[in-house]
Amino acid sequence: MNLTYHPGTVVVLVGVSGAGKSTFAARRWPAIWRLSLDDYRQMATDSMADQSATPVAAEIQNLLLDARLARNLTTVIDSTALLPHVRAGLLARARYWQRPAAAVLFNLPLDLCRRQNSSRERVVPDHVLREQHRHLPTAEQLLAEGFAHVDRIAAASPAYLEPAHIR
């Protein structure tokens, strides 16, 4: 699959931990396009699971996002992006730089995310997965928030399947 976006697009991956977002991104886009809060938490604390480093990781992500958008470079935000205020901040940066924003929504069943999560190096607790799944937006919500379009992954093997494109 080849997801193609206009140069300078902010591509925001939205989904529960274990949904396959990072695997999907790694198979589709160059590593230098991908900004990952997990990576920045690990750089700051030696642990990608250390949530206390999230504010620092978010600052790093925002600095790099601004640097890339200023240069009209496509950028993939690899985090859960489940909270509306997080997405609003990313959309505000895209608007500031006059760049388009797209979302890739990983709308997978909770049981599948649990299975995929259990095989990860860093397993997220089940109560956290349930809470994340409760916050999963719809494609229509993402469009209403300001994303130019939403690509939806809604199948068992998101890293391999063609998304349904929603305008």
Side-chain angles (χ1 to χ4, degrees):
M1 172 182 27
N2 183 17
L3 297 179
T4 304
Y5 300 103
H6 294 289
T9 299
V10 177
V11 181
V12 179
L13 307 183
V14 181
V16 173
S17 297
K21 298 177 301 297
S22 296
T23 301
F24 183 87
R27 292 186 177 154
R28 268 144 196 83
W29 298 294
I32 59 171
W33 289 17
R34 190 175 136 256
L35 302 182
S36 168
L37 289 179
D38 283 348
D39 290 347
Y40 307 136
R41 278 192 291 265
Q42 187 168 25
M43 287 177 193
T45 67
D46 288 341
S47 170
M48 65 176 63
D50 187 342
Q51 297 298 309
S52 72
T54 299
V56 169
E59 286 185 45
I60 294 166
Q61 175 183 276
N62 289 338
L63 286 170
L64 290 170
L65 178 57
D66 284 341
R68 292 185 59 79
L69 293 180
R71 291 161 179 81
N72 202 35
L73 299 172
T74 302
T75 305
V76 177
I77 303 298
D78 182 6
S79 65
T80 59
L82 293 169
L83 299 176
H85 75 274
V86 170
R87 295 189 302 270
L90 296 169
L91 286 165
R93 283 191 142 66
R95 276 192 307 276
Y96 175 83
W97 293 106
Q98 299 177 344
R99 306 291 184 236
V104 179
L105 175 61
F106 289 75
N107 188 13
L108 302 173
L110 180 57
D111 286 341
L112 175 60
C113 295
R114 283 178 172 140
R115 284 195 305 276
Q116 291 181 172
N117 178 57
S118 68
S119 66
R120 296 170 61 191
E121 181 180 325
R122 179 179 63 94
V123 176
V124 174
D126 191 63
H127 73 278
V128 174
L129 288 180
R130 285 193 314 269
E131 183 67 14
Q132 288 179 347
H133 201 265
R134 190 174 71 77
H135 288 287
L136 192 65
T138 65
E140 292 74 22
Q141 283 174 289
L142 295 172
L143 290 168
E145 288 175 8
F147 286 96
H149 66 269
V150 176
D151 291 301
R152 184 175 49 197
I153 307 297
S157 299
Y160 300 104
L161 298 176
E162 194 73 31
H165 189 73
I166 300 171
R167 288 231 182 244

